[in-house]
Amino acid sequence: MAEFLSAGAVLDQMHQTIERAQEHIFLVNPVLKINPGHIVPLGRAHDRGVHLSFLYGCSKVRIPDPMTRNVLNHFELFCYEKLNIRCCFNEEQLVIISHNPFQVLQSRSGVAGLLLHAQKDQTHYEEVVIQVLSEAKQGRKIELREIL
């Protein structure tokens, strides 16, 4: 069954999603931005041969800082104009982020996300993955040099 996550748990589960990935990591964020705490684990995932993809909102591009730029070099990038979801998934689990976890931590409010497991929550997991992949396919593939 899906698990509601606090802000701290969202960050932890995103980290675990990256660390446990064997084949693929897909990040989805309306803004082309990576949490600084995830840069090193993403680099390690790339070194393990994990395929990295990032779907972001085309109109919300920020020039990434040098560390983020280095890790983005390893990503297959897609942009989609109408993107509203924030999530991270691998072949085992998916974390849906409902709010900025850092803002939730500061405000000490409740739920910041939802964790779905590929096996236990198969239907919902697959629905979200299919939707994300559909948006990536409808969007356009981007080369990092196009946005720098």
Side-chain angles (χ1 to χ4, degrees):
M1 177 148 221
E3 299 171 42
F4 290 103
L5 302 173
S6 67
V10 164
L11 296 172
D12 181 55
Q13 287 299 328
M14 286 185 67
H15 186 84
Q16 288 184 38
T17 299
I18 294 165
E19 289 289 353
R20 292 179 179 166
Q22 299 297 313
E23 297 173 19
H24 195 248
I25 296 169
F26 213 116
L27 301 179
V28 181
N29 192 342
V31 179
L32 183 61
K33 185 177 179 184
I34 296 176
N35 178 320
H38 296 139
I39 290 174
V40 171
L42 286 165
R44 284 194 301 258
H46 174 263
D47 292 345
R48 291 193 312 269
V50 174
H51 184 82
L52 307 173
S53 298
F54 197 130
L55 175 63
Y56 67 94
C58 297
S59 61
K60 298 183 181 177
V61 175
R62 293 183 190 157
I63 302 300
D65 61 83
M67 271 184 74
T68 302
R69 208 173 316 153
N70 286 341
V71 80
L72 283 174
N73 278 318
H74 305 301
F75 274 85
E76 185 174 27
L77 300 173
F78 300 91
C79 76
Y80 182 71
E81 285 294 333
K82 302 172 188 170
L83 187 65
N84 291 313
I85 189 171
R86 294 177 70 200
C87 69
C88 171
F89 64 88
N90 66 19
E91 57 280 353
E92 293 179 356
Q93 67 181 38
L94 181 145
V95 180
I96 299 173
I97 304 145
S98 60
H99 299 289
N100 180 331
F102 295 108
Q103 289 174 342
V104 174
L105 277 172
Q106 291 171 346
S107 69
R108 303 198 190 289
S109 62
V111 174
L114 186 68
L115 175 65
L116 299 172
H117 297 277
Q119 291 184 343
K120 291 192 289 186
D121 309 304
Q122 184 178 2
T123 301
H124 298 299
Y125 173 90
E126 289 177 357
E127 286 173 357
V128 175
V129 169
I130 288 168
Q131 181 63 37
V132 167
L133 296 177
S134 171
E135 289 177 0
K137 189 175 180 179
Q138 291 174 46
R140 59 188 171 100
K141 192 170 180 180
I142 301 291
E143 295 296 325
L144 186 58
R145 67 179 183 278
E146 293 177 48
I147 56 176
L148 295 179

